[in-house]
Amino acid sequence: MPDNALRSPTKSTAVHPYDEPLHALLVRALRESGRAGDALAAYESARRALADGLGTDPGPELRALHAELLGSATREERPAPAPPERTGNIRPRLTSFVGREPEIDAIRSDLHRARLVTLTGPGGSGKTRLAEEAAAGLPQAWLAELAPLDRPEAVPGAVVSALGLRETVLMTSELTAVQDDPVALLVEYCAPRSQLLILDNCEHVIGAAAHLAETLLTRCPGLTILATSREPLGVPGELVRPVEPLRPDHARRLFAERAAAVRPDADAVLRDEPAVAEICRRLDGLPLAIELAAARLRLLTPRQIADRLDDRFRLLTSGSRTVLPRQQTLRAVVDWSWDLLDEAERRVLCEMSVFAGGWDLAAAEAVCGGPAAELLGALVDKSLVVAAPCARDGSGGMRYRMLETIHEYAVERAAEVPPLRAEAELRHRAWVRALVERAAPQLRSAGQLPWISRLETELDNIRAALDRALTAGDEAEAGAVALAMGWFWWLRNYRHEGVEWLERILRLGAALDTGVRPTSGEELCPPDPVDHFLAAPDGEAGHPLHSLRMDLRMQHLFFLAEAGPLQEFMEQRRPYVERVWTLFAEGGPRAARLPGLIWPMICSFAASQAQQSEPAEPGDLRAVMDSAVANCRAHGGDWETAVALMFRTHMVVDAPGDLAGVDDDLAELRILSRRVGDRWLRAQVCSAAGEAAMARNGFEEAKGEYEEALRLAYEVGAYAESPFLIARLAEIAYRAGDRPAARAALDEASAASDRYGVADSKAFVLLLSAQMASEEGHTARARDLCEAARAETGRGTPPPQFMVMLQLVDAVITATESGPETALPKLTGALREAVDKRCSDTIRATVADGGAGLLADLGDFPRAARLLGAADHWRSGRPRPMPEHAQAERVDAEARAALGAARCDEERARGAALTSDDVLRELTDAQRPSTASRR
């Protein structure tokens, strides 16, 4: 307002106390402070003073100000009612919330400890719903949905709208000066209040959300923020809580509840529990994916859904029409995350899709072409890769993995760039080969445990690399990996899997030789690798991969011997087996390392399957074992020498003779095994010592050895060894007369045999159970157990002594069922088997004692006494164990009563001079009709 509007040039020019500039400033200040009544009073005072002192009109501007202030003062006297304070905007949901009670409690606890809590997790993991449930019931909880925003600048305005502040501004003059600045408006509103603000789906506006959160938290002391995002906000003081997938039981509950909404017969549909469990597992427990799968029950059964999950992105497309488009299908959920990545992150995600079952940082650096650590961290932050400490191998490092849904998506994206995928697969195969070749010698050392754990951890990656090498037709690489993995497969009871890999590699070699180039990992057609090898005049000696192939063939035979079908394979392909072991029998370095090292075992097995007329005498087998030991001393290390000595020890214990040289070998074995430190080797030494003690009736000594062997086997994870060791402890308890302990141990051994698929041990358990049942008079049960043991032998590779004892028990049960005349031919067959298969003296003595019992039951006491004498001789004067001891005493007493003491002693002495063939003739003669009639 100009000065001359308030001053008259004819009046005094003295300064009035209500000078216009000062007055106007006062009025404006009072008006802006909101105290319109005070401003009006000041105006009236100034107007009167001006009129009295100056005699002039205040002017139009002051009159307009007066009118405005008068209206404001009137409104102050009669204020409009303030809108009621609202209590949040968390809306009720239309579907139930399943599980996650511990997570809700944890989040609420977090909100008392930190003012910013961020729930992170992949799309569809239920972050929003979990945040809402955690905030349910809390006063002043507000949800700001950021997902619909398409630009970061809109974040503050979206929060203003969520809090309802735009309506507040329209209803009252309060905050009118700052309504154009949403951040200032939020600060002004939130500063005096205590409330919870949920910032939902921050990932695509992460920077703006983080900036707003930090501004509000620093200027609003009563505010707490709960954010949901696929990556942390990165604000100081932030507490990050990853949202884990649903637990399996909660996932199945969610599937069931959503199924009930789409299928009236949901109870019947959900009876296929394995299919439901598979769906929930393969969908990683992600609630959105499970709900989409349950919606498919309108058209498909659970099994049909499970079978189609390899094409999950096409299958799971029937989401709610009312949710955001990016949440309506599983592909849209993952597309949203993919679109938020930069090019480098997309590339490394595609490269990491070659991993199977997870990886560590070193593996990522070996496989990825770029700065793996930085980009891997970014993908972890964005919930596309899961990071967790690796507890299995004890390294203390982090291990990374993708959820199956993310992994399949990344594989699809990688397939769009074939060169990128191919190069990553090559680097992955190279990394796997380097790993297994480095681990192989460590598996047989004192430091074996972490390496065993490492290979267990990487087993899926190893399988993937093998399959890709086979698909690519790379026989050399696949063979190298298989050879390096051979001992691990055997030790950790992956023997059937090892057989399958080896057969695929051998078939690949035969196919490549005939010009067939495989284009996929499918089974190859003929030529048969065995026929192909036998057809080669020189056994492929000139082939560049000849040495590799022979190692693979020997390893394959070794696995067949342990996995069961070698006996059948031998019957059909004996020339092939002989041709393979003959190469290694020549000795040299290749026969003193795995897998060539085990050629004596294959040779021994082949000899045990041979008939008596074939040229493999006991002395020949001893010569084979001696040759193997000498070769390992010359070309192998301590471990290899110990294995050869162990083969020889078992051969001596199981063969005829008086355990010649066993004690010396055992003494050396103990020294070597302690020096090497391999727990498996130490367990084998204890087991061999236990076998030797059993052969000498040293059952207490054997018990200690078997218990130590069992402890070491458990320690190294050689669980396939445990059923036999437990069964041996059961036998010791049985021979000591402790039937309850024997039964308990047999039950434990049976369960272990089933758990680890050890058919030979299962058969032994059934046979010993049959023997006990027969002795206790439970003949029908004994027969059932005996036949079950016989059936079990078809699934394994039982040693000859077991088959002999099976026939003996069968004969004993038959004698109870139908008399000793029927049983005697079976017992004779058992002894003939023991002789033909070169079983130990103890086994032959046990059968002879059984024959003496049958002959005594037939009244043929002279022959019964002679068989007792033959058994005395074969036992080398050692006392009989139970129950053979009780039976021999019974036969001896009956023979003495029938023949007289002198005649009985004479017959026993005659029997001690009988050979195995002589005893067989005695049994055969006892079955002739004339002999039977005399009896």
Side-chain angles (χ1 to χ4, degrees), residues 573-640:
R573 303 298 181 95
R574 186 176 184 86
Y576 170 82
V577 176
E578 292 177 347
R579 191 167 178 177
V580 172
W581 97 55
T582 299
L583 176 71
F584 291 94
E586 297 172 358
R590 67 183 309 171
R593 65 171 188 266
L594 283 175
L597 173 67
I598 52 86
W599 76 266
M601 192 201 78
I602 302 298
C603 181
S604 176
F605 179 84
S608 71
Q609 302 302 316
Q611 298 300 316
Q612 186 177 16
S613 59
E614 297 189 3
E617 295 300 322
D620 296 335
L621 285 178
R622 179 60 189 244
V624 165
M625 297 301 171
D626 291 345
S627 173
V629 170
N631 190 65
C632 286
R633 293 191 194 280
H635 300 288
D638 286 345
W639 190 89
E640 291 78 13

Side-chain angles (χ1 to χ4, degrees), residues 511 514 516 524-528:
T514 55
V516 176
L524 296 173
C525 296
D528 179 79

Side-chain angles (χ1 to χ4, degrees), residues 424-493:
E425 287 186 354
L426 281 174
R427 290 192 292 266
H428 179 263
R429 284 160 48 189
W431 167 72
V432 165
R433 179 174 178 176
L435 171 67
V436 298
E437 289 182 339
R438 183 183 174 198
Q442 302 297 328
L443 299 178
R444 300 182 288 276
S445 71
Q448 65 197 155
L449 296 185
W451 284 99
I452 291 172
S453 297
R454 179 73 186 279
L455 292 185
E456 286 280 1
T457 301
E458 301 295 357
L459 199 51
D460 286 336
N461 277 312
I462 295 165
R463 289 165 176 155
L466 269 171
D467 187 70
R468 289 168 185 153
L470 287 164
T471 301
D474 193 337
E475 180 188 1
E477 184 168 90
V481 172
L483 288 177
M485 283 293 292
W487 186 246
F488 172 85
W489 285 332
W490 190 90
L491 180 67
R492 298 291 285 182
N493 200 27

Side-chain angles (χ1 to χ4, degrees), residues 683-763:
Q684 292 297 311
V685 173
C686 291
S687 178
E691 291 294 290
M694 289 283 283
R696 291 165 170 162
N697 297 338
F699 297 114
E700 280 303 313
E701 178 186 351
K703 180 181 178 182
E705 297 287 0
Y706 287 133
E707 288 174 341
E708 178 65 5
L710 187 62
R711 184 190 70 79
L712 290 166
Y714 281 142
E715 187 175 344
V716 78
Y719 300 117
E721 306 288 333
S722 63
F724 171 77
L725 297 171
I726 299 169
R728 276 305 208 189
L729 290 170
E731 181 184 359
I732 291 171
Y734 158 71
R735 292 189 179 281
D738 190 347
R739 295 289 175 113
R743 289 193 186 91
L746 285 173
D747 289 342
E748 184 181 356
S750 178
S753 298
D754 292 337
R755 186 180 308 119
Y756 304 119
V758 187
D760 288 348
S761 295
K762 179 73 171 183

